[in-house]
Amino acid sequence: MVLDKDTAKKTAELLLQINAIKLKPENPFTWASGWKSPIYCDNRIILSYPAIRNYVRQEISRQLESLYGKPDVIAGVATGAIGIGMLVAEQLGLPFIYVRPEPKAHGRQNQIEGQLEAGQTVVVIEDLISTGKSSLNAVDGLLKAGAQVKGMLAIFTYGFEQADEAFREKGIDLHTLSDYENLIEQASETNYIREEQQKTLMEWRKAPSEWPS
């Protein structure tokens, strides 16, 4: 869920500006899953732009406090959200941890890096929500460690129904700075895409695993 329309549009504008999000309906990308997609998002690029990373840090921190107050710990999902998560923790003056996709196969075999005590409250920071699988895997790791997960804040979501359903089933509250609808709206208003490209982008979102049909 997007909390603030102005923030959603501004975030979309900035992500397009630095090519953290690329829209190529005529020359689609191939995701690791094998899906063909007219959009590609890499929010790690934000870290290379001080003004924009500061904007994202401040907006996530503001929304986090509004939604949850201050938790005991901020957790970033490895690897994409480690940088942003740490910036948010610094902004709020809170401890930071990050969660691997799975425990390491050597050493202490940690899935969670950093200090976390059972019973502590945690808000999870994510850079991108696609199917939600990796994000909720991190939540599972935190729950197994005894954390109380208050919710998750992400920079951007594609808004896939399967992701929304997965978060509902898990009972995890999800909010994002921006989403697919606001991105396409912003791209259209600023002539970043043409009308026929907008139609293609909206068609893809309806059935991304089957596109192009």
Side-chain angles (χ1 to χ4, degrees):
M1 175 190 293
V2 164
L3 278 185
D4 183 277
K5 178 76 172 179
D6 290 339
T7 297
K9 296 287 290 295
K10 179 65 174 179
T11 301
E13 177 186 357
L14 294 173
L15 296 178
L16 289 168
Q17 178 183 312
I18 62 174
N19 285 321
I21 289 181
K22 297 181 180 180
L23 301 174
K24 293 186 177 181
E26 294 88 2
N27 186 23
F29 303 93
T30 301
W31 287 2
S33 62
W35 288 5
K36 295 292 184 181
S37 170
I39 178 173
Y40 191 81
C41 180
D42 181 4
N43 286 330
R44 288 168 292 194
I45 291 173
I46 292 169
L47 299 174
S48 296
Y49 294 84
I52 295 174
R53 76 175 181 229
N54 285 337
Y55 173 82
V56 170
R57 168 179 59 88
Q58 290 164 4
E59 287 302 313
I60 291 180
S61 299
R62 179 180 64 82
Q63 292 192 15
L64 189 156
E65 283 198 285
S66 174
L67 288 163
Y68 309 113
K70 279 194 176 183
D72 296 319
V73 180
I74 298 295
V77 179
T79 58
I82 291 177
I84 291 295
M86 191 160 54
L87 288 169
V88 170
E90 181 68 17
Q91 172 84 10
L92 297 175
L94 294 173
F96 176 74
I97 60 176
Y98 69 86
V99 189
R100 299 176 182 275
E102 57 188 25
K104 288 193 299 184
H106 58 279
R108 294 186 296 160
Q109 300 181 331
N110 290 345
Q111 182 176 7
I112 298 171
E113 298 292 354
Q115 189 67 32
L116 176 68
E117 302 292 340
Q120 286 188 305
T121 57
V122 177
V123 173
V124 184
I125 305 299
E126 181 64 288
D127 64 326
L128 173 67
I129 306 293
S130 53
T131 64
K133 183 177 179 181
S134 60
S135 305
L136 290 172
N137 181 62
V139 169
D140 284 339
L142 291 164
L143 294 174
K144 287 176 184 176
Q148 298 180 42
V149 179
K150 301 186 77 173
M152 183 180 294
L153 277 159
I155 298 170
F156 183 79
T157 179
Y158 294 113
F160 296 145
E161 177 56 35
Q162 67 189 96
D164 293 341
E165 181 62 27
F167 274 88
R168 283 194 296 267
E169 288 182 0
K170 185 69 70 174
I172 297 299
D173 193 40
L174 172 66
H175 291 81
T176 63
L177 293 190
S178 193
D179 60 12
Y180 196 76
E181 284 79 7
N182 281 287
L183 170 75
I184 300 307
E185 185 178 326
Q186 180 66 24
S188 177
E189 288 176 358
T190 56
N191 296 318
Y192 189 93
I193 54 173
R194 302 184 303 275
E195 184 176 353
E196 60 269 26
Q197 292 175 312
Q198 181 178 357
K199 290 178 181 177
T200 299
L201 287 158
M202 296 310 293
E203 282 297 319
W204 168 79
R205 231 290 297 279
K206 293 177 183 177
S209 63
E210 302 169 11
W211 187 87
S213 57

